[in-house]
Amino acid sequence: MLFRRWLFTGFDGIFGDDADGEIMLALLAHWDWVFAGAAGWADPSFFYPERGTLGYTDSMFLYGLAHAALRAMGFDIFSAFMVAMAALAGIGFFGFLRLARRHFGMARPAAAMGAALFVFANMTAVGLIHAQIYCAMLLPLVCDLALTAWGERRPRRAIAFAAAAGLLHGLIFLTAFQTAWFFTFLLLLCASLYPAVFGLARGREMLRDVMNKSGRLAGYAAGFAVGAVPFLLLYLPVLLSGRHRELAEVLSNAPDARDIINVTTGNWMWGDLLRHAGITGRLNRPAWEVDRGFTPAVFMMLLATMAMLFAGRRRTDSPAATDRWLLLLGLGALLSWLVQLDYFGIRPWAAVWALVPGAGAIRYTFRSQIVANLFVSLVVARGFAWLWVLAREHRQKAALVVVTAFVVLLEQVNIDWPATISRRATKAWIDAVPALPPGCRVFYLVPRAEPVDKEGWIHQADAMLLSQARGIPTVNGYSSWLPDHWALEEPAKPGYAAAVRDWAQRNGITDGLCGVEPRRGRWTVGLP
């Protein structure tokens, strides 16, 4: 489903678009240079000569590590990226399978259904225009390592597993900040709900268990610190510079209640029907950001399963204890959505934005869905486990189970998403750009670069990708944050040439600066 445009186009369809897709490829190519010893890890070649600009966006460390290894095997920039994404899909699927079977006691068919919903969800297809969200495929592995550490009787092995879980958690922060932040936030929500689900007495017992297993917590914290230290070194200077998202901007991009089943008009099964119901395709809504709802059958399965879990919460046998954990995860996932909504002018997310460290860097809160889907897929898998039991007990109902599973999987198909760019076409225009003229060492986009009607950030992405592909610094660039005194966003605007000259003079790079029109393969020597 997700990989069809790559697999069935001769490996030509690469996740992303002419803007975000090219920026992703440029960031991965940066890590190729880093691991080759030719670049500083925090200093990609765009926004030259500004330092530490990797901290203006997701740093993509784990992606870059895999990408560099694949490049060393002979893959090009594009294929290495897609092979790494395919590997993430495999890790997510089998990691979820192991988590559901080993720690939640699910049968293989139900666990496989949950894994498919986690890895190949409609919301994931929509979100892959920002491919860093797929780092969520590593979260089942973090959970598995942590739960294995918790249950391990041998202290040294337990601490080793805990340290590995913490390290991976920290490195996800260094790779895709929002994925790691939302995962941590959801865990905190679940912890706050623990007494309500398990009772105060069990809550006190859990605290005693935590104290008795302090070595495991110390191992997790130590592993997390190893991953988090480079994250802090990269992003603290950006935070301390005062860069953050204003609350009004965050709330203007927040979901409303209908968005919980907003699956885009491109969803094969539900898109048109929900458009007529006023749920998908609404005007003046943040594109790609609130279209991350659960498909309707999955959402109904979630609510039905949680109702059954709630009804059986007072049982004390072992399966019921596991079910209470699933109820807790489901409540946490729903609460992560509910705190984003508007309640007669009151937005609970305003408190999160003000009080929770890191929330000020989150612009699009509904990206939490990609992480919440891990918890939801576990709950829905439990619902399918009940259906499998019914199918065994009442063979005449087996067809119903098969049809339900088929509908749930089929409704994940989205005919519009994920968006892709052409590997062949992108590689062709890069290869067509001639070698750098003599005396040139840094480049800028020429004013009114063709095609003039393209948005400025698309031109900036061209410059970033060309810069990393050729190993030539550029003063251009695009990211979540921009350098101080940098005003080069729109090459088509009248003041652009003056902004290039101002940046060059401020930074002492007027000598050796040349212009390029990437899609025309033309160089201009000297300042504009």
Side-chain angles (χ1 to χ4, degrees):
M1 292 182 283
L2 294 185
F3 292 88
R4 66 187 185 277
R5 290 176 180 156
W6 180 56
L7 294 172
F8 302 125
T9 59
F11 304 106
D12 185 61
I14 307 301
F15 289 155
D17 60 6
D18 286 343
D20 292 288
E22 290 189 1
I23 292 171
M24 168 64 72
L25 292 167
L27 289 168
L28 296 179
H30 162 67
W31 285 107
D32 296 341
W33 292 109
V34 171
F35 289 116
W41 73 279
D43 304 318
S45 62
F46 39 88
F47 296 130
Y48 186 82
E50 189 82 355
R51 304 293 298 275
T53 54
L54 188 63
Y56 291 169
T57 187
D58 285 324
S59 70
M60 310 309 303
F61 171 73
L62 290 173
Y63 283 44
L65 185 63
H67 193 267
L70 290 164
R71 290 299 307 280
M73 296 178 191
F75 290 91
D76 63 25
I77 291 174
F78 310 93
S79 297
F81 167 51
M82 290 304 295
V83 170
M85 295 298 286
L88 273 176
I91 292 170
F93 187 90
F94 290 106
F96 185 100
L97 205 63
R98 177 181 169 87
L99 178 66
R101 286 179 55 74
R102 180 173 182 177
H103 300 289
F104 292 93
M106 295 183 196
R108 185 175 286 106
M113 277 295 300
L117 292 175
F118 173 60
V119 177
F120 303 115
N122 176 88
M123 69 174 69
T124 304
V126 177
L128 277 175
I129 195 168
H130 307 114
Q132 59 268 41
I133 64 105
Y134 216 46
C135 198
M137 297 302 105
L138 297 174
L139 297 179
L141 184 55
V142 176
C143 296
D144 176 52
L145 288 168
L147 292 174
T148 300
W150 186 261
E152 175 61 52
R153 295 182 178 181
R154 289 165 289 186
R156 290 184 180 179
R157 286 176 61 87
I159 292 172
F161 281 121
L167 175 62
L168 185 55
H169 190 173
L171 291 178
I172 293 173
F173 268 101
L174 187 61
T175 301
F177 166 73
Q178 292 190 35
T179 298
W181 190 90
F182 282 124
F183 178 60
T184 308
F185 178 66
L186 260 71
L187 291 179
L188 292 174
L189 282 181
C190 290
S192 69
L193 293 170
Y194 186 92
V197 175
F198 285 86
L200 291 176
R202 182 68 188 101
R204 289 191 290 269
E205 290 178 18
M206 175 60 75
L207 284 176
R208 286 195 293 271
D209 288 344
V210 169
M211 296 303 296
N212 291 334
K213 296 181 178 180
S214 57
R216 292 164 170 81
L217 294 180
Y220 193 100
F224 181 83
V226 172
V229 165
F231 166 81
L232 293 174
L233 290 175
L234 182 63
Y235 289 101
L236 266 183
V238 178
L239 178 66
L240 294 175
S241 71
R243 290 177 170 87
H244 68 281
R245 300 296 177 189
E246 296 295 337
L247 181 60
E249 179 187 14
V250 176
L251 298 184
S252 69
N253 289 300
D256 62 27
R258 286 175 288 180
D259 289 321
I260 196 62
I261 55 169
N262 183 350
V263 293
T264 80
T265 56
N267 182 269
W268 181 81
M269 183 176 290
W270 298 106
D272 284 338
L273 181 62
L274 292 177
R275 177 172 57 82
H276 290 300
I279 294 174
T280 67
R282 286 176 286 156
L283 299 177
N284 302 317
R285 299 291 290 149
W288 315 327
E289 296 300 342
V290 295
D291 304 343
R292 298 172 186 262
F294 300 109
T295 49
V298 167
F299 190 56
M300 287 188 290
M301 282 283 295
L302 168 67
L303 297 181
T305 305
M306 288 184 64
M308 295 180 70
L309 292 170
F310 183 79
R313 72 191 188 283
R314 296 189 183 280
R315 290 167 51 205
T316 58
D317 55 302
S318 181
T322 301
D323 285 349
R324 276 199 276 184
W325 278 106
L326 290 170
L327 178 61
L328 178 66
L329 296 180
L331 289 172
L334 288 177
L335 184 59
S336 71
W337 160 59
L338 292 173
V339 297
Q340 300 175 42
L341 303 184
D342 186 334
Y343 300 91
F344 306 101
I346 298 174
R347 293 268 194 177
W349 193 265
V352 177
W353 177 86
L355 299 174
V356 181
I362 304 292
R363 183 195 304 182
Y364 300 112
T365 61
F366 210 41
R367 291 188 186 182
S368 61
Q369 284 288 94
I370 305 301
V371 176
N373 192 41
L374 169 61
F375 296 172
V376 167
S377 296
L378 283 167
V379 175
V380 172
R382 182 66 180 93
F384 273 105
W386 271 321
L387 289 179
W388 295 126
V389 171
L390 286 175
R392 286 199 304 269
E393 294 176 351
H394 308 282
R395 294 183 181 180
Q396 66 272 24
K397 295 184 179 181
L400 177 62
V401 178
V402 172
V403 170
T404 303
F406 181 73
V407 169
V408 167
L409 291 178
L410 195 61
E411 69 173 353
Q412 306 310 314
V413 176
N414 196 301
I415 59 177
D416 291 341
W417 302 93
T420 59
I421 57 176
S422 169
R423 169 185 174 273
R424 286 187 288 270
T426 306
K427 188 174 184 299
W429 74 253
I430 293 174
D431 291 343
V433 177
L436 198 66
C440 296
R441 57 184 183 86
V442 181
F443 74 81
Y444 61 89
L445 288 166
V446 298
R448 297 185 62 79
E450 293 287 342
V452 177
D453 59 346
K454 283 173 58 174
E455 298 286 355
W457 61 80
I458 300 178
H459 287 292
Q460 303 291 347
D462 283 351
M464 294 168 69
L465 185 54
L466 177 63
S467 170
Q468 292 293 344
R470 293 288 183 86
I472 308 168
T474 179
V475 299
N476 292 93
Y478 193 77
S479 68
S480 298
W481 313 111
L482 301 173
D484 295 333
H485 310 296
W486 185 93
L488 281 65
E489 295 101 318
E490 295 290 344
K493 287 190 175 179
Y496 174 77
V500 172
R501 292 193 296 270
D502 177 70
W503 181 259
Q505 290 164 1
R506 281 179 180 273
N507 292 282
I509 54 172
T510 54
D511 294 333
L513 191 62
C514 295
V516 70
E517 194 168 7
R519 297 295 178 118
R520 296 291 182 269
R522 299 170 183 166
W523 287 102
T524 300
V525 177
L527 291 168

